[in-house]
């Protein structure tokens, strides 16, 4: 999607809309508009046609004094102090809704005091609204035969003072890159599970690497994983006709000597539960069980779009969890790449099985930090609903930094304790550990399991079960938390 930064209003702009922010107290914009224009706005406000609620809009047409055909008044309420980023998303939704169905191809946003009032600095506002505005226009129509045209979102044009111009350009570029990453994450998540198999993900990774010289891809097939001793990973993929694979996308934008940041994504392309089979209602949504992996893809794509000066390795544990004559049974004991043995008491706790071997494998990168992203537990939705991700890990600074970035990008996370008190729930009589921890604290015991494979580097775990996709009429992948991870990566350049 295109964006522009301008310093004065265009004199001819036949198919644009100028967004004019109006505060709750009917304060008019404080950028220069001709008196005739302002008086038309005043009349409309006096009539009470602009509802007095946040993000209400009123379109005025062919207002005197300016040549821009549409003037879109937007009611901007003070942003939520605790989570301003979510206010910006609602604002983007309001603008999009007001213009949808029109032929408007260019939205001009005047970055005045009324629009981006504190607590958000202008660049942060620009990054947020760019991402949100593009993401609001996301559509997935790849598998529709009819109506295959995707409508192009309007260009976003920022009207900013000269002193802000460079920062605004940079922020808009970042915002657009975040959105491009999200769109890839959404596309992969939404793609039907008979299409989006582990091999399909491997092909997507190869395609992504081809598009940028700093990215290299390695794919480990099952034979290779077997030779390495990844018994936990293979215990999941052995129940499917689709071979599993481990995909590493090595993006090297930083100095050769710089230790990489490793992102590990759960890529279960369909989770039936295996022999511990899930109930059938809503099972189609388990195609989204690769959204952690899709997030990793989205982040690598955004890194490429920004030519990020950092080394980032995106690793995807791709497998399908199916019941089959060859599927693993409850009671099976497998040996992980780390050498520790696991008693599989529930084949539906498969995410941690593919992740644990992958988390051991990534030690070879001598990572600066490892973040895994996984739709790991239904318990996470019980605890936190669909509002935020859970974060756990072995490094408080890393967790804090991720949470700060999430606060800035509307990808909020909430910490859960990873105390030793929970570890005993994984005790097994027949192996070093069981793969489930009993009824309570499911998100924590899943993280406890992973923690036994992440002792050699700073590590954080994001359980994105509640935020990776929407159910119901709005069904679809959200592309989250790509913005949070990108914001965090950018903070390290
Ligand atoms: N992919 C699921 C977790 C999940 C379920 C995410 C529903 C989002 C929505 C995971 O593989 C799983 O099945 N976890 C089990 C673990 C249990 C068997 C210990 C769960 O959460 O029930
Ligand atoms: Mn499962
Ligand atoms: Zn799963």
């Amino acid at each position: 999607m295109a964006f522009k930064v301008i310093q004065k209003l265009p004199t001819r702009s036949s198919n644009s809309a100028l967004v004019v922010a109006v505060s709750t107290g009917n304060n008019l914009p404080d950028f220069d508009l001709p008196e005739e224009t302002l008086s038309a706005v005043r009349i409309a406000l006096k009539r009470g046609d602009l509802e007095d609620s946040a993000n209400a809009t009123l379109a005025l047409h062919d207002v005197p004094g300016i040549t821009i055909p549409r003037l879109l008044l937007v009611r901007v309420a003070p942003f939520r102090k605790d989570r301003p980023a979510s206010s910006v998303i609602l604002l983007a939704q309001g603008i999009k809704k007001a213009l949808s169905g029109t032929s408007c191809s260019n939205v001009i946003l005047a970055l005045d005091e009324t629009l981006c009032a504190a607590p958000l600095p202008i660049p942060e506002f620009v990054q947020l609204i760019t991402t949100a505005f593009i993401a609001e226009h996301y559509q997935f129509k790849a598998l529709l035969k009819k109506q295959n045209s995707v409508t192009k979102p309007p260009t976003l044009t920022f009207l900013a003072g000269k002193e802000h111009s460079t920062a605004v350009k940079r922020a808009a570029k970042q915002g657009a890159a975040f959105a491009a990453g999200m769109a890839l994450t959404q596309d992969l998540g939404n793609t039907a599970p008979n299409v989006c198999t582990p091999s399909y993900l491997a092909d997507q990774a190869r395609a992504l690497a081809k598009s940028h010289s700093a990215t290299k891809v390695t794919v480990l097939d099952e034979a290779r994983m077997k030779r390495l001793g990844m018994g936990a990973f293979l215990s999941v993929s052995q129940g499917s006709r689709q071979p599993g694979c481990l995909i590493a996308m090595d993006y090297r934008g930083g100095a050769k000597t710089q230790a990489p940041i490793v992102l590990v994504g759960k890529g279960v392309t369909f989770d039936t539960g295996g022999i511990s089979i899930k109930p059938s209602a809503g099972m189609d949504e388990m195609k989204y069980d690769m959204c952690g992996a899709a997030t990793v893809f989205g982040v690598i794509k955004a890194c490429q779009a920004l030519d990020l000066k950092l080394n980032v390795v995106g690793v995807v544990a791709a497998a399908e969890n199916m019941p089959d004559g060859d599927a693993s049974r409850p009671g099976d004991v497998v040996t992980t790449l780390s050498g520790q043995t696991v008693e599989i008491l529930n084949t539906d706790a498969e995410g941690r099985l593919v992740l644990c071997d992958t988390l051991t494998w990534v030690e070879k990168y001598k990572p600066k930090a490892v973040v895994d992203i996984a739709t790991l537990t239904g318990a996470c939705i019980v605890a936190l609903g669909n509002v935020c991700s859970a974060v756990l890990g072995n490094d408080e600074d890393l967790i804090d930094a991720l949470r700060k970035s999430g606060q800035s990008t509307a990808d909020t996370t909430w910490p859960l304790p990873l105390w030793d008190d929970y570890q005993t729930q994984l005790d097994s009589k027949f192996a070093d550990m069981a793969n489930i921890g009993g009824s309570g604290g499911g998100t924590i015991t899943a993280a406890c399991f992973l923690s036994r494979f992440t002792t050699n580097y700073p590590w954080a775990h994001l359980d994105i079960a509640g935020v990776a996709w929407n159910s119901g009429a709005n069904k679809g992948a959200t592309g989250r938390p790509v913005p949070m991870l990108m914001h965090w990566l950018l903070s390290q350049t």
Side-chain angles (χ1 to χ4, degrees):
M1 192 212 64
F3 60 85
K4 275 193 290 203
V5 181
I6 56 174
Q7 278 161 30
K8 15 184 244 270
L9 283 179
T11 45
R12 289 174 64 82
S13 196
S14 59
N15 215 0
S16 298
L18 173 64
V19 175
V20 172
V22 180
S23 74
T24 37
N26 273 359
N27 282 336
L28 287 186
D30 64 357
F31 64 100
D32 285 338
L33 278 174
E35 191 42 48
E36 327 154 62
T37 311
L38 284 174
S39 98
V41 173
R42 267 189 222 107
I43 289 167
L45 290 178
K46 206 161 166 201
R47 261 188 209 132
D49 284 2
L50 180 66
E51 218 182 286
D52 196 15
S53 61
N55 309 312
T57 54
L58 174 68
L60 304 178
H61 291 266
D62 303 317
V63 175
I66 50 168
T67 54
I68 302 167
R70 303 175 193 84
L71 212 151
L72 185 67
L73 303 182
V74 182
R75 181 77 72 188
V76 185
F79 291 162
R80 279 184 61 161
K81 284 266 183 312
D82 56 339
R83 295 200 285 131
S86 58
S87 301
V88 178
I89 292 176
L90 295 174
L91 178 64
Q93 283 169 353
I95 295 171
K96 190 222 158 183
K97 193 166 151 217
L99 296 171
S100 73
T102 73
S103 61
C104 174
S105 59
N106 182 34
V107 177
I108 305 171
L109 277 172
L111 296 172
D112 68 346
E113 283 282 321
T114 319
L115 183 61
C116 29
L120 279 181
I122 287 179
E124 213 162 292
F125 173 84
V126 168
Q127 184 211 86
L128 277 164
I129 198 133
T130 306
T131 304
F133 193 71
I134 304 172
E136 280 303 317
H137 285 84
Y138 172 82
Q139 291 176 303
F140 183 70
K141 292 193 173 175
L143 302 176
L144 298 186
K145 274 281 181 294
K146 44 179 181 179
Q147 199 199 336
N148 217 350
S149 68
V150 174
T151 40
K152 208 173 135 213
T155 301
L156 255 189
T157 301
F158 294 105
L159 177 66
K162 196 167 178 210
E163 70 280 20
H164 297 301
S165 174
T166 314
V168 168
K169 265 185 211 148
R170 190 190 313 124
K173 189 176 173 195
Q174 289 170 356
F178 294 7
M182 286 170 78
L184 174 60
T185 302
Q186 290 169 286
D187 282 349
L188 293 173
N190 289 331
T191 299
N194 59 327
V195 176
C196 184
T197 59
S199 316
Y200 177 89
L201 288 178
D203 287 342
Q204 295 298 306
R206 290 184 190 104
L208 202 53
K210 245 196 187 138
S211 68
H212 195 276
S213 63
T215 320
K216 304 238 157 359
V217 166
T218 318
V219 178
L220 306 195
D221 62 10
E222 289 190 346
R224 180 88 179 274
M225 290 194 274
K226 190 158 188 197
R227 282 200 299 280
L228 287 169
M230 302 178 88
F233 192 124
L234 292 168
S235 76
V236 177
S237 62
Q238 75 188 31
S240 168
R241 299 209 183 161
Q242 298 296 332
C245 59
L246 188 156
I247 306 162
M249 292 170 274
D250 207 328
Y251 172 87
R252 298 278 164 170
K256 267 208 167 77
T257 50
Q258 181 192 86
I261 286 167
V262 176
L263 304 175
V264 173
K266 171 179 174 183
V268 173
T269 59
F270 197 77
D271 181 12
T272 63
I275 297 300
S276 315
I277 200 158
K278 287 182 181 295
S280 53
M283 207 206 271
D284 66 291
E285 296 193 2
M286 280 298 112
K287 74 173 180 177
Y288 292 114
D289 210 17
M290 36 59 72
C291 281
T295 300
V296 171
F297 275 91
V299 168
I300 297 294
K301 176 152 183 118
C303 290
Q304 292 180 336
L306 294 174
D307 285 310
L308 199 74
K309 301 263 176 289
L310 203 64
N311 296 333
V312 182
V313 185
V315 183
V316 163
E320 190 181 48
N321 189 22
M322 290 293 232
D324 179 76
D326 212 23
S328 53
R329 296 148 285 257
D332 282 3
V333 173
V334 295
T335 304
T336 64
L337 180 60
S338 74
Q340 303 172 90
T341 58
V342 176
E343 184 186 16
I344 301 173
L345 287 176
N346 190 319
T347 65
D348 198 11
E350 85 297 340
R352 61 199 77 181
L353 295 174
V354 293
L355 287 173
C356 71
D357 280 344
T358 308
L359 287 166
T360 302
W361 186 77
V362 302
E363 281 180 12
K364 76 184 196 103
Y365 291 103
K366 303 199 168 31
K368 187 175 164 209
V370 177
V371 179
D372 80 77
I373 308 108
T375 49
L376 202 62
T377 61
C380 186
I381 309 175
V382 176
L384 298 171
N386 301 104
V387 173
C388 62
S389 314
V391 60
L392 306 94
N394 63 16
D395 188 296
E396 288 308 316
D397 291 342
L398 173 61
I399 290 172
D400 284 348
L402 285 167
R403 294 197 65 211
K404 279 218 176 70
S405 287
Q407 191 82 1
S408 300
T409 53
D411 282 324
T412 40
T413 58
W414 201 255
L416 291 175
L418 193 60
W419 296 327
D420 285 345
D421 312 55
Y422 293 95
Q423 292 281 359
T424 49
Q425 285 180 239
L426 296 173
D427 287 351
S428 158
K429 271 192 86 158
F430 303 104
D432 295 334
M433 70 195 89
N435 79 327
I436 54 169
S439 57
T443 303
I444 299 172
T445 50
C448 282
F449 183 92
L450 298 180
S451 76
R452 298 171 181 219
F453 302 86
T454 56
T455 50
N456 294 329
Y457 44 68
W459 160 73
H461 160 65
L462 295 169
D463 194 329
I464 61 166
V467 300
W469 75 91
N470 295 315
S471 307
N474 235 346
K475 194 184 285 184
T478 60
R480 297 203 166 266
V482 170
M484 168 175 78
L485 291 163
M486 283 310 299
H487 190 280
W488 172 65
L489 291 174
L490 273 165
S491 75
Q492 294 176 69
T493 56

